[in-house]
Every structure is written in structure tokens, then in C-alpha cells.
Amino acid sequence: MTTRPARRSPRPETTRPAAREEVLLDVGAPAHGGHCVARTTDDPDGRVIFVRHALPGERVRAVMTQKTSKIWRADAIEILSASPDRVEPVWPQAGPGGVGGGELSHVALGAQRTWKRWVLADCLRRIGGPDVAQAVTEAAGGTAVSVEPLPSEVRAEASEDARTRALAGTGTRTRLALTADERGRFGMHAFRSSTVLDPGRLPLAVAAIADLGLTERALWRRHARPGSRLEAVAPSVGEPLVLIDGRVLTAEGRAASRRRVGEVVDASGLGLGELRYSVHADGFWQVHKDAPAALVDAVVRAVVTGSPSGGGASLAADRVAGTSVLELYSGAGLFTLPLAAAGARVVSLEGSAQAVGDARRTLHGYDTVSLHAGRASARAVDELGRLDGTPADVVVLDPPRQGAGREVIEAVAALGPRRVVLVACDPAALARDLGSLLHSGYTVRGVRALDMFPHTHHFETVVVLDRH
């Protein structure tokens, strides 16, 4: 999802048909957002219906869930002709009529990555345009960009144990959010709805969170009222914490004395050893247990070599000493720390004052770093992007899901850095931002897509661009 999806209130209830309406659909290609493009079997050239819980090539019985003048949506409720990529869902409660957040759990994990590769290529072509699609394809060696699994999925899929293979992609999330229903029981929102449902077990959560019994134990209900928000955090250092309406609790439900957690990122592949971070318990951090290390490796390599891939080669002999970096949407310093540790001069900008405070604590020993709180804008880029009057050598952007936007991208291009490293969690926003950069004189040099959100439609893309 940026790596930093904005917190939002639950979406309003979908505009549903007045009466239950079922249709037979022939399912086509995936579409951005976890749907497939489909049409009714008796009108193959008719109106497009976006159907969830289906797979390309299937014929399904579906129930209409939304009909407006602009869009029709449906959920597949019976599979009449199944795809060979269909598997038993690892999270049945995220199926038709269920909770959001696991919309691809009925798809074999390898096929999920193919799905995301198709969506990325489609967004680049349809939203970015032919120039963007061609530039990315050329940078990927003449083919569509593959979406790569993270290490834990690689190990699980290669296991000799059938159950381990079947559960690949589960047990990876170190952060989880729940909401209390009218009885005070914690659950998750139904898709595009404010209704709170029982999610059953929590298969995507790491064991330290799953073992807390957040949806079953009365222990947690005693701290709740209708609408209460619960956040569970399992850091890489120390015991998990549970936050309910801002109160911080231990795994035993007692008031906790600490409001921060420690995170450790292994950057030994870069020659930087272990990186240690201090983050507020309710602050943003990448949710997949492998994601921080994977992103740090990709971004630092991109800054130094122009490629987000490195095959494990150490950069110990090729530091970025003296390189000036402007980092936008810098969060709690995930990339700031390794760039500073490698010798770069970094000026960062982040909209969350709390996250900037976390970064200050993490980077207190580095005098080559200047941390700023504020909104990313053209003016901010112009003011912060010149160290000693000279434009930054490299700009690193990790915007939220809506992307950086034309104003910021054009300001970055006007600054004139020799290299731009763009991290995106939304392929549509990526396509728009890339289009602006290409039209401003930049060339795509490298691209890498990472499947950081198994069993959902989300993934992360890192793109490196150099100035002509």
C-alpha cells in the first residue's frame, strides 16, 4: 500500500441494488483494486462489471453489490468453471460478503504475483500512456515487470512440507488494526462498509499478534466501547503492544510504561550491519516483517548504483560519501538512516511531526542529516533541495497512496537532480508520477516490484530515473 497509506475513516456504505440481483459472468483480466473485468454470459460485448473473488477465465454466478451511472460491481458467490489458479482460501472470512483486506486469498500465491504484474503493466499503459509503458518495459529488459516475492514467501514456497507451502504469505504482518462492534467485540470492516464483522482467526498476522486472541478474549473487550480502535504491534525487538483508543497495553492487558518500540533492519548486504530505529507504537512502519530490509536494500542500491537490484552484492566499497540527498515523505527515517550511515548528506521532509520526532531520536548521532516537518510542496522542494546553494544530487520520494502529484514532481524536475528514486504503493499513482518525470527530461533506468502485501492486490514498486 506508498509505503504509507493514509489513515481513513471507513468508506461509506456501497450503493447497493434495491433488490438482490444475481448474474452469470464470464471473467476477464484483473483490474486495479482487486477486481476482474467481467461481462454477462449472454452479452459478451455489454457493460463491464467489476467482480471480486473471481479469477481470469472463470465463469461465475455473482451478486450485484453496486450499481451507479459510472460503475457496476459484483461478488462471485458460485464458481461454475474454475481457474487452475484457484485454491482453498487461506482466509475464508475475507470472501464474498466478508471483511476487507484479503481479497486474493483464493488465488495461488504465484498467480497473485502474475495478477499484480498484469495490473502494473495495464496501469502504466492505460494511465501513464505508451511512452511510460515503453520506458518501464525497456528498463525491465524488454518484458513486463515481474513482481517479486519477499524472502519468507520464497522459503515457504520452497518448503518440503505441503502445509507450509499452502500457508505461504500468511503470518507476515507485524501491525494490525481492529474496530469494536456495538457489543465491544473487536473485528474488521466489511469491504467498502462501516459494518464490523468477525474476521475469524487472523492468518496474515505474525504469531506474536495472532496469539493475543484479540477477537476472542474478554480481556480486550473490557477495554473497549462501540467503535473503539485497536492497534496491535509486534516489533522486531521486544514484546508486542496493544493500543486501544490511544491507551498502550501489554500482551497481558496491563498498562504499558513504554510508548515506543524498537525496530532492527538487517542491512549487512549493503555493508551497513544492523540498523536500529525508535518508533512510536502507533507510528507508521512497514507491515510485512521482511519489507523494511527489502526496501532499504532496494532504495540504497538505487541511489548508489542506479539499480534497485543488486543480487546481494555488498556496497561496502562503494559508499555515497558526499552525495547530497533530498528525501520527501521520509516517515520515521527508514531510508534516512542507511543513507546517512553510508555517508550521504540528507535533508528530509515528512508531514507527520511525530514521525520526524522518531527520526530525530534514531538519527541523533548524525550531523550530516537535517530533518524537517511539513507538507511536501513545490516551495518546500525548492527551499530544501539546495544544500549550500547547490541542487541535491539525488531525490528520494516515498509518497502516500495518491502519489506525489504533478506539483511536487515538476518541482523535483525543476530542481534538476541527476537521479530520482521513486517508491510507490499504487500503480495508478506511479503511472501518473512517472509520466510527469519523463516529460520533464528523465529516463527510467531501473525498476523493481515487490509483493509486500500477499493475499491482497497491493504491492510496492521502486523506480530509478536519471536525467538525460
Side-chain angles (χ1 to χ4, degrees), residues 356-367:
V356 174
D358 289 341
R360 291 192 194 286
R361 181 177 290 249
T362 293
L363 287 139
H364 65 89
Y366 292 90
D367 57 9

Side-chain angles (χ1 to χ4, degrees), residues 10 23 29 37 40 60 102 161 177-178 184 190 196 199 236 243 261 290 295 330 355 374 408 416 458:
V23 289
V37 175
T40 58
V60 303
D161 179 66
L178 302 172
V196 177
S236 53
L243 290 80
V261 296
D290 299 339
L295 282 173
S330 54
V408 171
H458 300 290

Side-chain angles (χ1 to χ4, degrees), residues 201-354:
R201 61 189 182 87
L202 302 169
L204 303 189
V206 294
I209 290 178
D211 291 345
L212 294 173
L214 299 172
T215 62
E216 304 99 359
R217 297 175 65 190
L219 166 66
W220 307 114
R221 294 197 294 276
R222 288 200 292 268
H223 297 277
R225 55 181 174 76
S228 287
R229 177 181 173 85
L230 179 152
E231 298 175 83
V233 179
S236 53
V237 177
E239 297 298 315
L241 291 176
V242 176
L243 290 80
I244 301 179
D245 294 335
R247 292 170 292 162
V248 184
L249 307 172
T250 67
E252 293 75 34
R254 295 191 292 270
S257 59
R258 61 189 177 112
R259 298 192 67 86
R260 291 179 173 273
V261 296
E263 296 288 355
V264 176
V265 173
D266 182 5
S268 56
L270 297 170
L272 299 176
E274 286 190 340
L275 304 172
R276 295 185 174 271
Y277 299 79
S278 176
V279 185
H280 270 84
D282 62 347
F284 175 80
W285 191 252
Q286 291 292 338
V287 298
H288 192 296
K289 61 185 180 182
D290 299 339
L295 282 173
V296 163
D297 190 85
V299 168
V300 174
R301 289 185 189 281
V303 169
V304 176
T305 71
S307 171
S309 303
S314 174
L315 297 180
D318 191 10
R319 299 301 176 97
V320 293
T323 299
S324 59
V325 178
L326 172 63
E327 184 188 1
L328 304 176
Y329 317 98
S330 54
L334 178 62
F335 305 139
T336 320
L337 177 57
L339 289 169
R345 295 181 299 152
V346 185
V347 174
S348 71
L349 179 64
E350 163 58 39
S352 166
Q354 176 178 283

